[in-house]
Amino acid sequence: MACQRRIEATQSRAVTARDYEMIIKAAEPAIARVRCLDATELDRPGHVLALVIPSVPKNVSDFELLQQSPEVLQFLREGIDYRRPLGSTVHIEPPRYLGVSVAVRVVAAPGTDARTLSARAEEAIRDFLHPITGGPQGDGWPFGYPLLLADVHAVLQRIPGLSYVDVVRLIPVDVVSGVRGAPAEIVQPGPHDLLFCVGNEIEVRT
């Protein structure tokens, strides 16, 4: 009953994908981002898919933190049932993630400590790929958005104490098995998937 009251307070009826996004975010503060796909995008008449991302720390490195708890998912599924149109089916799930590891070799400017520069490079890459505060606009890595070599170059060049970027390699990684793919010039998630930084290799030369 508490679940019903919380979601009823947000809106009378969900009709559009935007409606579902607003209801879910208002009902559960632990959800930081919601991406809702309607029947048109899914090519499944009568179905709606809400992909939810929980609030996570800035330096998140544990993939499990991106998996919303089963209790919260069940709470949302039960609550949204009161707001869905008759005949519709609403799925609430975490998105799929494609892991990526960035291997770089950078050259430090004179007088710059190598360890400090390495830490700055690691932080800059993780910040850029963050699912909530990363991406080109700083509002979370966009769903289906690729990572390019040029993106990493641009991010690293803004780091204080860096002379220049020598080498950048992008390595796709299965976030579940940890299996690493071949280095590539682009890492492309699926149209409704997100990237997740699984750890980087930073080499600093002075």
Side-chain angles (χ1 to χ4, degrees):
M1 187 62 68
C3 171
Q4 180 181 359
R5 286 198 299 270
R6 286 181 70 187
I7 292 188
E8 281 183 342
T10 61
Q11 187 170 324
S12 60
R13 179 69 64 180
V15 178
T16 67
R18 178 60 176 163
D19 293 338
Y20 284 105
E21 292 177 358
M22 293 176 63
I23 289 173
I24 291 171
K25 288 193 70 174
E28 180 47 66
I31 300 296
R33 287 181 67 192
V34 182
R35 162 66 182 241
C36 203
L37 308 171
D38 59 18
T40 302
E41 293 179 278
L42 296 172
D43 196 25
R44 297 179 64 189
H47 286 259
V48 174
L49 172 62
L51 302 173
V52 296
I53 306 172
S55 297
V56 292
K58 179 180 178 181
N59 61 343
V60 60
S61 58
D62 185 352
F63 175 64
E64 293 300 320
L65 294 178
L66 291 170
Q67 306 302 298
Q68 188 62 67
S69 71
E71 293 79 13
V72 169
L73 292 177
Q74 185 62 26
F75 162 79
L76 293 172
R77 291 179 186 126
E78 292 176 356
I80 208 71
D81 190 56
Y82 295 96
R83 293 292 153 248
R84 64 177 178 82
L86 291 176
S88 65
T89 301
V90 181
H91 310 271
I92 302 178
E93 305 171 0
R96 291 182 300 182
Y97 289 89
L98 173 60
V100 59
S101 175
V102 180
V104 302
R105 183 166 66 233
V106 298
V107 177
T112 300
D113 178 72
R115 290 186 180 181
T116 299
L117 184 57
S118 177
R120 288 172 179 170
E122 174 73 21
E123 182 179 18
I125 294 170
R126 285 193 176 276
D127 285 351
F128 184 58
L129 291 169
H130 198 278
I132 298 174
T133 58
Q137 305 302 320
D139 54 1
W141 193 265
F143 283 86
Y145 196 79
L147 177 65
L148 307 176
L149 289 175
D151 296 329
V152 179
H153 273 274
V155 168
L156 294 176
Q157 290 289 2
R158 295 194 290 267
I159 297 174
L162 185 142
S163 179
Y164 64 90
V165 180
D166 188 19
V167 176
V168 175
R169 294 188 178 91
L170 308 178
I171 304 166
V173 182
D174 187 302
V175 293
V176 176
S177 67
V179 174
R180 298 163 66 89
E185 295 185 357
I186 179 174
V187 176
Q188 176 69 65
H192 309 309
D193 302 345
L194 284 176
L195 293 180
F196 175 62
C197 184
V198 297
N200 305 302
E201 301 173 14
I202 313 295
E203 179 184 352
V204 179
R205 292 189 175 180
T206 57

